[in-house]
Amino acid sequence: MGPFISPFSNLLCMLLGISFTLWITLLLVFIIVPAIFGLSFGIRGLYMKTLLKVFKWATVRMERGAKEKNHLLYKPYSLNSIIAKEPTSLEDELKEIRRNGSSRELDASASTTTGPAPSSSEFEMSDTFYFCRRGIESIVDDEVTKCFSAEELESWNLLTRSNYNFQHISTRLTVLWGFGVIIRYGFLLPLRVTLAVTGISLLVVFTTIIGHLPNGRLKNVLSETVHLMCYRICVRALTAIITYHHSENKPKNGGICVANHTSPIDVIILASDGCYAMVGQIHGGLMGLIQRSMVKACPHIWFERLEAKDRHLVAKRLSDHVKDKSKLPILIFPEGTCINNTSVMMFKKGSFEIGSTVYPVAIKYDPRFGDAFWNSSKFGMVNYLLRMMSSWAIVCSVWYLPPMSRQEDEDAVQFANRVKAAIARQGGLVDLLWDGGLKRGKVKDAFKEEQQKIYSKILVGTQADRSRS
């Protein structure tokens, strides 16, 4: 048996060596080298167009089969409009409720009484109907909870995770889905893992080497080049197809770049088109190793856990950074948590108190190719990255908005809301006033007190008008 096993083993080793060499060569020629120089052969664009045609055919076939078998294919409502709401104020709604309530009394007394209608009292029991209705609406159609659930697609992208209502329709669709699983897990996933390991390894090694150089122009140029190169390789690891708009508004040194937050890969999406100083808490393990190597080559701002809770210390570190016009712009996600890319939630005011120029950026993902939203309460980081790398692609658009500065009559909260509204408007997102911290916490008393103040002003105003009359 020995003489027969030896030639077979040699042949197997030779085939493995050839396959490995061919794999590395293809990676270098078609992905890594073009990524280093920011080039593209148009392969990803062709890949995206092909996927769209396949998705369209599969969706049409699913809808036809579901109609024949009388299956429910889509949810009977949209996540954004469970209850139809009209943008009316508290005062207007109370007036309408009181008017409807008093109209019955007027009808009953019309035959015996003439003259003007009696004035309403300071408080009417009918006012409670408004608060009861709004409370029930908030339970049924919770604006906050919807922001932390994956977006349901109205088409099938051959991923069972995108629409759980899809059922077996035909053998051809099942075979197509199985073929897609083989492509995603048998080819795309190993390729993407290889690219991710390559990009991260190069980032750690090169930034550590650059960190030993003296501070100066050469070190800054090499650091920016290495960061761009490695982030572009990591973008290829996600098969990310990114369209950047209005590049003339890209953040400049000494400024603060603020963007809506959907996923941890937002950093890679933006940093592959320009260099930024990152802000974050110091971690351990692999993330800590990456942070320590990055800060040697570039002045990123990392905080200890206790320091991150000190608002004044954080503000001082950020202020000192933006005062130095030679340092890279700071990248901040003011929402403080990941939102499902259908809306923008409240911006924390800290980054808007510094007084620096703010460069708003809107990021909008296309969920047809893969859901980029990270639901941290449901998936860990490793599980999330596995889902990203086993998706078809990550497709998104990035808009650089004109720089904005705080006006003289504005406080930090008003400035933050103005920037948030601009980002929501450009990205086609819903502008919400809710704090993303409600994802894990309770409603702040300030929100309750605000409604109480509005109602009190209505009552006091009514009484004052009556006194003047």
Side-chain angles (χ1 to χ4, degrees):
M1 294 293 291
F4 293 99
I5 295 177
S6 181
F8 177 76
S9 299
N10 293 336
L11 178 61
L12 181 61
C13 291
M14 184 177 66
L15 291 176
L16 290 175
I18 294 174
S19 300
F20 180 76
T21 304
L22 180 62
W23 180 263
I24 296 299
T25 303
L26 290 175
L27 285 180
L28 287 172
V29 174
F30 291 101
I31 299 179
I32 296 179
V33 173
I36 292 175
F37 295 100
L39 302 176
S40 176
F41 295 127
I43 299 176
R44 288 176 296 168
L46 180 62
Y47 170 70
M48 182 178 69
K49 292 179 181 178
T50 304
L51 284 178
L52 286 175
K53 292 181 180 179
V54 175
F55 295 162
K56 184 178 180 180
W57 177 85
T59 301
V60 171
R61 185 67 188 87
M62 287 289 292
E63 291 175 345
R64 186 189 309 154
K67 187 176 181 180
E68 294 173 355
K69 297 185 178 182
N70 198 25
H71 285 167
L72 178 65
L73 196 58
Y74 305 119
K75 287 186 176 182
Y77 54 80
S78 169
L79 285 174
N80 293 325
S81 57
I82 298 177
I83 296 177
K85 300 178 182 178
E86 296 182 0
T88 57
S89 65
L90 169 61
E91 185 175 6
D92 292 338
E93 293 206 30
L94 287 180
K95 287 181 179 179
E96 183 66 24
I97 293 174
R98 292 183 177 187
R99 188 182 303 114
N100 293 335
S102 62
S103 62
R104 298 188 183 91
E105 299 177 3
L106 291 174
D107 292 340
S109 60
S111 58
T112 58
T113 307
T114 60
S119 60
S120 61
S121 61
E122 296 180 0
F123 168 77
E124 293 189 8
M125 282 299 297
S126 60
D127 294 352
T128 60
F129 294 137
Y130 167 80
F131 297 103
C132 291
R133 179 173 60 81
R134 290 301 299 269
I136 295 173
E137 284 181 355
S138 297
I139 295 173
V140 175
D141 190 11
D142 184 3
E143 292 180 336
V144 176
T145 303
K146 289 189 297 182
C147 296
F148 301 106
S149 58
E151 186 177 358
E152 186 84 4
L153 297 181
E154 294 186 357
S155 61
W156 193 36
N157 58 2
L158 301 181
L159 298 175
T160 54
R161 70 186 74 154
S162 64
N163 194 320
Y164 297 97
N165 288 327
F166 285 117
Q167 305 178 33
H168 173 75
I169 297 296
S170 69
T171 303
R172 283 191 299 174
L173 277 177
T174 304
V175 170
L176 180 61
W177 172 82
F179 183 62
V181 171
I182 294 174
I183 292 177
R184 289 187 292 110
Y185 287 93
F187 175 72
L188 292 179
L189 182 59
L191 172 64
R192 291 166 175 171
V193 170
T194 304
L195 289 173
V197 171
T198 301
I200 294 174
S201 301
L202 292 177
L203 180 65
V204 172
V205 172
F206 285 150
T207 52
T208 302
I209 295 174
I210 294 173
H212 290 88
L213 297 176
N215 293 332
R217 180 174 176 77
L218 176 61
K219 181 178 181 179
N220 293 338
V221 171
L222 290 177
S223 174
E224 293 180 13
T225 303
V226 166
H227 278 82
L228 281 174
M229 176 188 72
C230 296
Y231 282 126
R232 285 169 179 169
I233 293 175
C234 292
V235 161
R236 299 300 200 279
L238 298 169
T239 315
I241 304 170
I242 314 167
T243 305
Y244 298 97
H245 305 271
H246 312 305
S247 296
E248 67 275 8
N249 296 324
K250 288 174 62 173
K252 296 178 174 57
N253 290 0
I256 298 178
C257 174
V258 298
N260 57 301
H261 199 24
T262 303
S263 160
I265 66 175
D266 293 339
V267 175
I268 302 176
I269 297 297
L270 294 177
S272 63
D273 191 47
C275 293
Y276 298 90
M278 309 297 176
V279 179
Q281 183 177 305
I282 295 177
H283 295 273
L286 176 61
M287 182 63 70
L289 174 64
I290 297 173
Q291 287 181 319
R292 290 191 297 273
S293 61
M294 289 173 61
V295 79
K296 293 178 181 178
C298 180
H300 298 288
I301 305 175
W302 307 129
F303 295 97
E304 296 288 351
R305 182 181 296 272
L306 295 178
E307 292 179 336
K309 296 180 180 180
D310 189 340
R311 290 183 60 252
H312 298 289
L313 177 61
V314 173
K316 186 178 185 306
R317 292 276 301 275
L318 296 179
S319 179
D320 293 341
H321 183 98
V322 298
K323 287 179 181 178
D324 189 347
K325 301 303 179 183
S326 64
K327 292 184 178 180
L328 296 174
I330 298 175
L331 176 59
I332 297 178
F333 301 100
E335 289 168 298
T337 188
C338 294
I339 314 298
N340 67 357
N341 210 226
T342 61
S343 56
V344 184
M345 303 192 77
M346 186 182 78
F347 279 6
K348 304 293 191 297
K349 66 177 182 178
S351 54
F352 299 90
E353 293 177 326
I354 300 174
S356 175
T357 302
V358 171
Y359 295 87
V361 176
I363 307 174
K364 179 64 177 177
Y365 291 90
D366 189 338
R368 292 177 296 177
F369 302 91
D371 183 21
F373 168 57
W374 180 34
N375 188 348
S376 57
S377 60
K378 187 176 181 180
F379 302 106
M381 177 60 75
V382 175
N383 194 342
Y384 168 76
L385 291 177
L386 177 63
R387 290 169 65 88
M388 288 297 94
M389 291 187 176
S390 61
S391 297
W392 291 111
I394 299 298
V395 180
C396 70
S397 295
V398 176
W399 290 272
Y400 297 108
L401 304 183
M404 302 174 68
S405 300
R406 182 173 167 181
Q407 299 175 354
E408 294 183 359
D409 57 344
E410 263 186 336
D411 58 24
V413 174
Q414 293 171 333
F415 183 30
N417 289 335
R418 184 161 60 92
V419 174
K420 177 168 68 79
I423 291 176
R425 186 166 53 251
Q426 179 63 74
L429 306 170
V430 180
D431 186 2
L432 298 177
L433 58 85
W434 300 109
D435 185 357
L438 293 174
K439 176 181 181 180
R440 297 183 179 88
K442 296 181 179 179
V443 178
K444 295 181 179 179
D445 292 336
F447 288 109
K448 304 175 185 177
E449 294 172 357
E450 183 180 356
Q451 296 297 319
Q452 293 171 354
K453 289 179 181 179
I454 295 175
Y455 182 58
S456 299
K457 288 180 180 178
I458 294 175
L459 296 181
V460 173
T462 303
Q463 186 177 16
D465 294 339
R466 224 181 283 125
S467 300
R468 285 195 297 268
S469 60

